[in-house]
Amino acid sequence: MSSSGTSVDVTTPQGVARAHVLLPEGASTGPDGRAVLPGALVLGHGAGGGIDAPDLVAVSAVALDLGLGVVLVEQPYRVAGKRIGPRGAALDTAWEAVVAHLRAHVLDAPLVTGGRSAGARTACRTAAATGSAAVLCLAFPTQPAGRPDLPSRLPELDAVAVPTLVVQGATDPFGVPPAAPHREVEVVAGDHALKKDVPAVAAAVRDWLGRTLPRA
């Protein structure tokens, strides 16, 4: 399915974030100017990467093909040209501001929030605050690589009360989280980059979205 896109700068407590909005061709617009859709993905990038990561690109294409909207969010530090981001609380406040702006001015749709790696962690920590219908985690970094002495990030996943999909590489040095009542885990070939079998990543997300958004 073809799509149309635009970029929106959003002022947040951490600076200006940038939301790249992709809408399926033919998306209708309500009287308030928001796109009316059956659902939309709002996805964040990893700590040292950008929105052009192969898994994010593939998942975006899947969502558009299903008639859903997609928003790829660049955190303020990336917009400012920095490679290293702030700690989690700062990422969270910026993310919440972007999602609030999207709800108020851009999208009239149930939102599935998520992202890859650090972006997935942010989506998990803020799922309740952003009113997410579901959460999509690509390469969730469960345990700091090579640091078994540091705390696990699994509680961030466990705290999410809405349907969650984790797509994880089988050899990811950050580990593979377990499935749980609200959480499905799809293990694919490859490591943390999820580049080895991108079609498998896309297929897992396509199946999950088809089963999840009607319930949401």
Side-chain angles (χ1 to χ4, degrees), residues 96-126:
E96 290 174 10
V98 171
V99 175
H101 180 90
L102 294 173
R103 282 193 184 281
H105 303 288
V106 181
L107 297 170
D108 181 1
L111 300 184
V112 177
T113 60
R116 68 163 283 107
S117 196
R121 292 184 65 194
T122 298
C124 286
R125 291 191 300 262
T126 61

Side-chain angles (χ1 to χ4, degrees), residues 21 55 62 88 103 105 133 166 169 172 176 186:
V21 182
D55 51 354
V62 164
R103 282 193 184 281
H105 303 288
V166 179
D172 193 325
V176 178
E186 184 72 24

